[in-house]
Amino acid sequence: MPPKGPGKKKKDVDWADDEHFSKERSMIYIEHTYECPIFQTKADECGAFLQQRIPERKFQLVKNKYGRQVPREGAFEIGFSQNARTSVHLLWSGLDKGPPRRDKFPVDYETLVPDVNRILKKFYPDKAVGVLEEDEDEQREDDM
């Protein structure tokens, strides 16, 4: 991907500093290769999916550490942290998958939601995540 022209570079925000930090903003870190545009498209799709699926949280998508990281060849990895000051947990790695290229990406982003909820619960167990409550209600109804 060609670099942006002068004056068009987006300023990097340090989400962990006091000015920008929020406990309510979870971070999605994606390392993706530039060898094909589908990698960037899939990264954007993942961020949009999680924001739509868990609307009570704010999400910040960080791709290739704001362009400062040189991605590994064939890389598509998704990391998640509860907020900018907590550790990053690997949710998906497509490094050792493929060819074909489609194997590098999760078949369905829905498979990432249980891990995301587990991470959110780990750091803030007193905050209920709506998705988990719905799943528990459905399970209780099935048991009856």
Side-chain angles (χ1 to χ4, degrees):
M1 181 176 209
K4 295 179 181 180
K8 294 186 178 182
K9 187 174 181 179
K10 197 163 91 172
K11 179 152 173 46
D12 296 341
V13 175
D14 182 5
W15 295 104
D17 69 13
D18 291 336
E19 181 183 349
H20 298 100
F21 178 74
S22 170
K23 285 185 176 181
E24 304 305 316
R25 181 182 295 114
S26 295
M27 307 298 289
I28 305 166
Y29 299 97
I30 298 184
E31 176 189 357
H32 65 83
T33 186
Y34 295 116
E35 65 189 48
C36 179
I38 192 69
F39 286 85
Q40 183 158 343
T41 302
K42 290 292 188 177
D44 293 335
E45 283 178 7
C46 179
F49 173 82
L50 287 175
Q51 184 63 64
Q52 181 182 6
R53 183 67 170 84
I54 308 173
E56 61 270 11
R57 296 288 305 170
K58 291 184 221 168
F59 291 94
Q60 180 63 43
L61 178 62
V62 177
K63 297 184 286 188
N64 293 331
K65 296 185 181 174
Y66 297 109
R68 291 188 306 243
Q69 175 185 26
V70 176
R72 294 170 281 181
E73 185 178 330
F76 191 82
E77 288 194 330
I78 303 169
F80 181 80
S81 68
Q82 203 287 326
N83 61 53
R85 294 179 180 171
T86 57
S87 58
V88 178
H89 300 271
L90 184 64
L91 298 179
W92 172 267
S93 178
L95 265 176
D96 58 349
K97 295 176 173 55
R101 188 174 291 137
R102 68 175 174 260
D103 292 344
K104 297 226 174 248
F105 314 108
V107 175
D108 183 9
Y109 295 117
E110 187 67 35
T111 59
L112 303 176
V113 173
D115 290 331
V116 167
N117 281 322
R118 180 183 48 78
I119 294 165
L120 291 173
K121 285 288 195 180
K122 179 179 177 183
F123 291 102
Y124 294 105
D126 57 324
K127 289 195 175 197
V129 177
V131 176
L132 288 179
E133 291 174 347
E134 291 171 11
D135 291 344
E136 290 170 1
D137 290 342
E138 288 174 11
Q139 187 175 9
R140 280 189 219 116
E141 288 173 7
D142 292 342
D143 291 342
M144 292 181 173

